[in-house]
Amino acid sequence: MTETIPKPREDGAGADDASESDPLLLLAPLRIEARAIRRGLRNLPDPPAVTRTGYGTTRAAQQAGRLSHDPFGQMMIMGVGGGLTTDLSPGDLVVGTEVGAVTCASAPILAGELRRAGLPARTGRIATVDHLVRRAERAKLAAEGWLLADMESAPLAAAADGRPVAVIRAVSDTPHHPLAGIVSGGLAALRSLRAAAPVAERWAAACGTRQVLLAGPRSFCAGVERAIEIVERVLERQGEPVYVRKQIVHNTRVVGDLESRGAVFVDELDQVPDGATVVFSAHGVSPMVREDAARRGLAVIDATCPLVSKVHAEARRFAADGYTVALIGHAGHEEVEGTLGEAPDSTVLVQTAADVAALRPRDGERVAYLMQTTLSVDEAAEVSGALRERFPAVRAPGSDDICYATTNRQAAVRAVAADSDLVLVAGSKNSSNSVRLVETCERAGTPAYLIDGAEDIQLDWLAGVSTIGLTAGASAPPAVVEEIISALSGLGEVSVSERVTTTESIRFGLPKEVRQ
Ligand code: SF4
């Protein structure tokens, strides 16, 4: 699959014509704004020039006519503006997602970069009006979904004409802090503008045309889809709150979405009221947790992935047959804690070959091993190899414990990493299989970064990078991948192709409590 996300130009030229060596056109309407930005840039070795465009829509439109034929590579508009919503404060930064009719797709990346610099930045729609907005009009524009109003950005942004464009406006006044003159009311805004200025240069350096290689398969696996559907169905049937022990899957977006719909995530069962319904997460629980729930009279709905349950069953079986079970996995992971709890007197966690050397089984002829489902295939092979070497009679699991989704995503990302300058892995920091995807790339010699979303992409990563591999861990929603591609397209034309190493058709049935 190949798809190009172009930046159409009105004169018929493509974004390829915007050479990466073409300069940043950095615009500020007012002298006072331009001065603040220049001050913010003055410590840079080769600061970009700041062009003043003049106050108001008429001057902005005149300037836009002149600028549209300039040989700039990308345009950044900076200035102050009026906040429209009551949750904004003077000095906050608004990065435009839409500015009039112009889409500024890189806004999430830019806002994330500003926040990492310690600045209060949000993304939102910016309206351009031809007069200062007063109380009633602020409320009307806010109700229409605009976050900030200014008097210049829309005509200037239109002059970018398909080239990358971004708008950063610092809030000078809000419904609670009405305009009292640009100097007295806007000091906080000018300070923010000055602090934000160096980000403009980093943004420009990250702009350019590039290729995105999508790894296939990626994103949700059958176990994660099942777990999410279980919580959704319980919410539908019982209404909120629905208690879930631990994160249902390790992804901040999924958890945040379900929380907003009424799910309550708790660390332990003592946070669940007596008699309530509780969902166990996809990573599984130990028998002690089940017993505790039964003692408390909780109604349990089990979202444990069937492939995790399979490992639990193997642990019980090996232990019952008198084996010492070496569980290859990572200490502290919920899945590992659940599996260790199945046969705590017979199971020992081994994380490395050194742990294997230190293993003291009851009987060296009766050793078996199991694995966490989300391990790195290569890393697990090293440890299982050490076990086979030390205990030649060691019993392996009946079928691979590292699940199909983990194995497939690692093979797929390895295939794109080979041809990428860097790889972005969508996933949360506590997602084991997502972290393993980063390690897989690094082992292949390609730098890789774990990101929850486009806002985590650092502009410095992208400078000089023409091919980006992109994948998502098994707990990361497919929509995040789309969001990342969209944000990258705001930095220049992106051509997207997919490398599919295998296709997946596995589905797991739902537990009886939520069927129908
Ligand atoms: S990653 Fe594997 S074990 Fe974990 S939920 Fe998905 S399919 Fe199940």
Side-chain angles (χ1 to χ4, degrees):
M1 180 197 84
T2 302
E3 184 192 347
T4 300
I5 303 177
K7 293 274 158 187
R9 300 262 311 261
E10 280 172 14
D11 61 5
D16 281 342
D17 298 313
S19 150
E20 285 158 38
S21 60
D22 283 338
L24 165 67
L25 184 60
L26 181 51
L27 306 178
L30 303 181
R31 184 188 304 276
I32 195 169
E33 295 164 334
R35 194 184 305 141
I37 296 163
R38 285 192 195 104
R39 283 188 178 154
L41 294 169
R42 69 183 165 198
N43 290 331
L44 298 181
D46 186 17
V50 183
T51 302
R52 265 186 62 212
T53 55
Y55 176 71
T57 46
T58 306
R59 287 216 178 86
Q62 287 165 352
Q63 275 284 4
R66 284 192 283 274
L67 294 171
S68 61
H69 303 293
D70 273 17
F72 62 88
Q74 49 279 319
M75 176 192 286
M76 166 81 77
I77 303 159
M78 297 183 78
V80 304
L84 300 173
T85 58
T86 52
D87 54 351
L88 285 169
S89 302
D92 286 354
L93 294 164
V94 172
V95 183
T97 50
E98 286 170 50
V99 179
V102 178
T103 299
C104 303
S106 67
I109 302 178
L110 202 43
E113 190 82 2
L114 290 164
R115 286 194 288 268
R116 280 188 296 279
L119 297 167
R122 287 172 57 177
T123 56
R125 298 169 71 213
I126 295 177
T128 295
V129 293
D130 60 4
H131 54 275
L132 294 175
V133 291
R134 304 288 176 198
R135 185 177 301 186
E137 195 180 3
R138 273 190 213 267
K140 180 171 171 288
L141 287 168
E144 290 170 2
W146 302 98
L147 189 59
L148 180 135
D150 68 22
M151 294 173 64
E152 300 90 6
S153 290
L156 293 172
D161 194 15
R163 287 165 283 202
V165 58
V167 179
I168 300 174
R169 288 281 185 171
V171 174
S172 60
D173 53 282
T174 71
H176 290 328
H177 302 85
L179 193 67
I182 193 76
V183 176
S184 59
L187 281 177
L190 292 171
R191 272 196 297 274
S192 290
L193 213 50
R194 178 176 165 175
V199 172
E201 203 202 29
R202 298 210 289 279
W203 175 79
C207 286
T209 60
R210 48 177 63 96
Q211 194 185 5
V212 169
L213 297 179
L214 274 176
R218 62 183 174 277
S219 197
F220 282 173
C221 61
V224 163
E225 281 180 345
R226 175 179 180 270
I228 295 169
E229 192 175 350
I230 288 171
V231 178
E232 287 174 337
R233 284 189 175 219
V234 181
L235 276 168
E236 258 169 42
R237 282 160 191 225
Q238 303 190 2
E240 56 182 289
V242 167
Y243 293 91
V244 183
R245 184 184 176 275
K246 308 285 184 188
Q247 292 191 343
I248 184 73
V249 299
H250 285 156
N251 187 269
T252 53
R253 295 285 182 99
V254 171
V255 168
D257 175 53
L258 290 173
E259 257 171 353
S260 72
R261 291 151 69 183
V264 177
F265 294 93
V266 297
D267 271 334
E268 293 305 338
L269 290 185
D270 56 14
Q271 296 165 267
V272 181
D274 287 343
T277 298
V278 63
V279 179
F280 288 160
S281 79
H283 307 102
V285 298
S286 74
M288 265 175 59
V289 175
R290 289 181 198 283
E291 286 158 19
D292 192 19
R295 205 169 35 247
R296 297 271 320 282
L298 303 177
V300 168
I301 301 176
D302 192 356
T304 303
C305 176
L307 300 183
V308 175
S309 299
K310 165 192 155 286
V311 181
H312 285 202
E314 288 168 334
R316 290 193 298 270
R317 185 165 49 80
F318 278 133
D321 290 347
Y323 282 82
T324 296
V325 181
L327 175 61
I328 306 173
H330 292 287
H333 191 278
E334 284 152 39
E335 182 189 322
V336 165
E337 286 173 0
T339 308
L340 284 171
E342 289 290 348
D345 297 334
S346 304
T347 313
V348 182
L349 179 65
V350 290
Q351 302 188 78
T352 61
D355 290 344
V356 173
L359 197 61
R360 297 284 171 265
R362 286 186 297 259
D363 176 354
E365 294 300 309
R366 291 182 87 75
V367 176
Y369 70 85
L370 299 174
M371 291 178 185
Q372 185 181 337
T373 56
T374 50
L375 290 185
S376 148
V377 173
D378 299 337
E379 196 188 346
E382 264 175 51
V383 183
S384 62
L387 279 162
R388 272 193 297 275
E389 200 172 309
R390 182 156 173 226
F391 306 106
V394 71
R395 291 273 308 273
S399 58
D400 281 352
D401 283 339
I402 299 180
C403 76
Y404 79 98
T406 298
T407 309
N408 290 348
R409 278 152 192 69
Q410 286 175 20
V413 83
R414 206 176 286 116
V416 300
D419 292 327
S420 301
D421 299 315
L422 69 82
V423 175
L424 297 176
V425 178
S428 294
K429 288 188 174 58
N430 60 345
S431 161
S432 173
N433 82 79
S434 303
V435 173
R436 303 289 89 78
L437 293 176
V438 171
E439 291 170 358
T440 300
C441 298
E442 289 172 344
R443 212 171 285 124
T446 306
Y449 302 101
L450 185 64
I451 54 173
D452 259 313
E455 68 281 1
D456 292 337
I457 298 173
Q458 296 186 24
L459 291 169
D460 287 347
W461 297 345
L462 304 180
V465 162
S466 60
T467 304
I468 295 177
L470 179 56
T471 187
S475 50
V480 175
V481 173
E482 300 303 319
E483 177 199 296
I484 291 166
I485 294 171
S486 166
L488 290 171
S489 75
L491 300 171
E493 184 177 300
V494 168
S495 92
V496 183
S497 56
E498 186 176 27
R499 298 226 177 129
V500 179
T501 49
T502 188
T503 51
E504 295 174 342
S505 56
I506 291 180
R507 295 277 303 162
F508 297 132
L510 293 167
K512 63 179 184 319
E513 297 88 342
V514 294
R515 262 181 244 141
Q516 290 304 317

